[in-house]
Amino acid sequence: GDAPNFRQPWMRRYVLDNVRYWLEELWFDGLRLDAVHAIVDPSERHVLRDLASLARHIVPGALLIAEDDRNDPAIIDGCGFDPTWADDFHHAVHVTLTGERDGYYANYEPGAQTIAKTIAHGWLYDGQTYPTSGKRRGKPAGSLPAEAFVYCLQNHDQIGNRAFGDRLPAGDKLAAATTLLLFLPMTPLLFQGEEWGAASPFAYFTDHDPELGKLVSNGRREEFGKFKAFADPAVRATIPDPQAASTYASSQLDWSERDRGEHARMLALHKRLLRLRREDPVMVRAGREALTAEASGPLLLVKRWTDRNERVLIANFGDAPAKSPVVGPVLVASTALEPPVLPPWSAVIVATQR
């Protein structure tokens, strides 16, 4: 249907009153707006600017997060939001870990080189042609601070929109990627249960009335018919029914996993990394102005520094052991290692001097 017409005072008021409701009556201290790229407003002053101004008037310092797939710094510089989703990082890491290239993943070449370029620029596409659309996507983000980018390995969309709602499994690959995510100065997002590598899916589930529910169930399966893996109707029929109570039940976390095997290892790694992120003098202070990322084959090298102190992450995103180009006291490692050799799918953070 037609987009809301925000030039109509009543429509604009409707949206802004909704902001008042969440902040004044429910005492929220911030908002996350979904798909702001789809909020069309040709008015002289965009409704998102009014929304941000109102939110900060009600709650000084209110945190405003935007999901925006345009890779446009204007959502921060112009509309006044704090961080914005930066899905290029997720996609670059995901194709590297999984080798998947269906759908929008076809726009991302697996490997350390893609990840390094994404980190260096904030996002990968800053004006180049996006292959699957044939249109230019993004603008340079050099003006944005590190905290303006929301980086993640998994989130509700990237898991829930998968046919079976399957997560990245706990293990060396996820541990290495987690070490990278929490080493970077960008704003990290951890999805529920990710801190221990939860095995339970997060499937797409609904509770609509029967008539609408049937349309949603059938439509979801038909949508996956576009993918090669689900071309066979019999295979599509195995996709969980969003309306089934069992689909919802299967998506609930098993909290007892935290104390077992790989899950316990993942939880311990998250705790070490978050403590380092909170306490290390370099990681506390160094932003994008003191950040570099480069790649050599499967090796990713990311540096952060302040004055003479430096922290270096070296990740091996390959299937064979590799020699680290940098050695120093190990602060955190994603797995057991004997420097300078990095096992396959591993990452280490070391302390060095500039």
Side-chain angles (χ1 to χ4, degrees):
D2 294 335
N5 183 359
F6 292 109
R7 286 175 294 188
Q8 294 287 348
W10 60 267
M11 176 58 71
R12 210 172 187 90
R13 179 67 180 271
Y14 176 76
V15 170
L16 298 179
D17 281 352
N18 194 261
V19 172
R20 287 187 178 280
Y21 172 74
W22 286 103
L23 300 183
E24 291 183 341
E25 297 191 33
L26 299 183
W27 292 14
F28 273 56
D29 57 7
L31 300 169
R32 184 265 189 187
L33 272 69
D34 191 70
V36 300
H37 51 268
I39 299 178
V40 179
D41 183 10
S43 306
E44 183 176 344
R45 181 178 170 88
H46 200 286
V47 68
L48 291 176
R49 292 183 62 190
D50 283 352
L51 185 154
S53 297
L54 176 61
R56 301 260 166 62
H57 175 73
I58 298 171
V59 180
L63 179 65
L64 300 177
I65 304 171
E67 182 201 24
D68 189 343
D69 73 358
R70 294 171 296 187
N71 289 2
D72 188 348
I75 192 64
I76 309 293
D77 294 338
C79 292
F81 280 66
D82 296 300
T84 179
W85 248 229
D87 279 342
D88 283 357
F89 177 81
H90 169 275
H91 301 342
V93 174
H94 188 88
V95 298
T96 299
L97 300 185
T98 67
E100 295 176 10
R101 303 301 302 280
D102 280 339
Y104 49 73
Y105 289 139
N107 300 298
Y108 301 84
E109 190 69 27
Q113 188 67 48
T114 302
I115 298 173
K117 185 176 179 181
T118 302
I119 294 169
H121 292 261
W123 39 56
L124 182 64
Y125 284 91
D126 55 6
Q128 310 93 313
T129 298
Y130 202 60
T132 53
S133 70
K135 300 178 181 178
R136 291 189 178 275
R137 175 174 177 244
K139 295 179 181 179
S143 64
L144 299 185
E147 59 269 23
F149 301 88
V150 176
Y151 275 13
C152 73
L153 305 177
Q154 306 182 83
N155 64 35
H156 68 287
D157 279 332
Q158 302 303 337
I159 302 173
N161 289 341
R162 296 174 67 81
F164 298 99
D166 50 311
R167 302 168 180 255
L168 294 173
D172 288 341
K173 287 187 176 182
L174 182 56
T178 297
T179 304
L180 169 64
L181 172 69
L182 295 181
F183 174 75
L184 295 172
M186 286 71 170
T187 299
L189 180 152
L190 298 176
F191 185 67
Q192 55 188 38
E194 182 180 338
E195 64 271 29
W196 70 81
S200 54
F202 185 75
Y204 179 74
F205 52 82
T206 56
D207 186 23
H208 297 305
D209 65 74
E211 184 178 356
L212 176 58
K214 184 177 181 180
L215 294 173
V216 170
S217 297
N218 292 337
R220 180 165 172 79
R221 287 173 174 161
E222 290 172 6
E223 180 183 353
F224 279 100
K226 305 171 186 176
F227 294 87
K228 188 182 301 183
F230 297 97
D232 185 342
V235 176
R236 288 202 299 278
T238 65
I239 296 174
D241 181 359
Q243 287 285 101
S246 58
T247 302
Y248 165 72
S250 72
S251 300
Q252 297 180 51
L253 293 173
D254 176 3
W255 290 80
S256 68
E257 287 180 332
R258 296 178 301 165
D259 303 320
R260 302 196 299 266
E262 283 293 313
H263 302 294
R265 180 169 80 96
M266 287 297 302
L267 183 58
L269 176 63
H270 276 82
K271 288 181 177 180
R272 291 197 302 272
L273 288 165
L274 290 172
R275 184 179 303 113
L276 188 70
R277 185 182 181 91
R278 183 175 63 248
E279 298 177 356
D280 183 83
V282 174
M283 293 179 63
V284 167
R285 292 174 53 199
R288 287 187 74 201
E289 73 286 347
L291 171 73
T292 61
E294 56 188 82
S296 176
L299 290 183
L300 174 69
L301 192 73
V302 184
K303 296 182 178 180
R304 300 180 62 187
W305 64 87
T306 57
D307 303 322
R308 296 180 59 188
N309 294 313
E310 186 174 63
R311 302 292 179 260
V312 183
L313 175 135
I314 311 99
N316 179 9
F317 288 122
D319 293 322
K323 184 178 179 180
S324 172
V326 178
V327 294
V330 173
L331 301 179
V332 176
S334 66
T335 189
L337 51 81
E338 296 182 8
V341 177
L342 291 176
W345 302 101
S346 67
V348 62
I349 301 171
V350 301
T352 63
Q353 298 289 314
R354 287 175 60 79

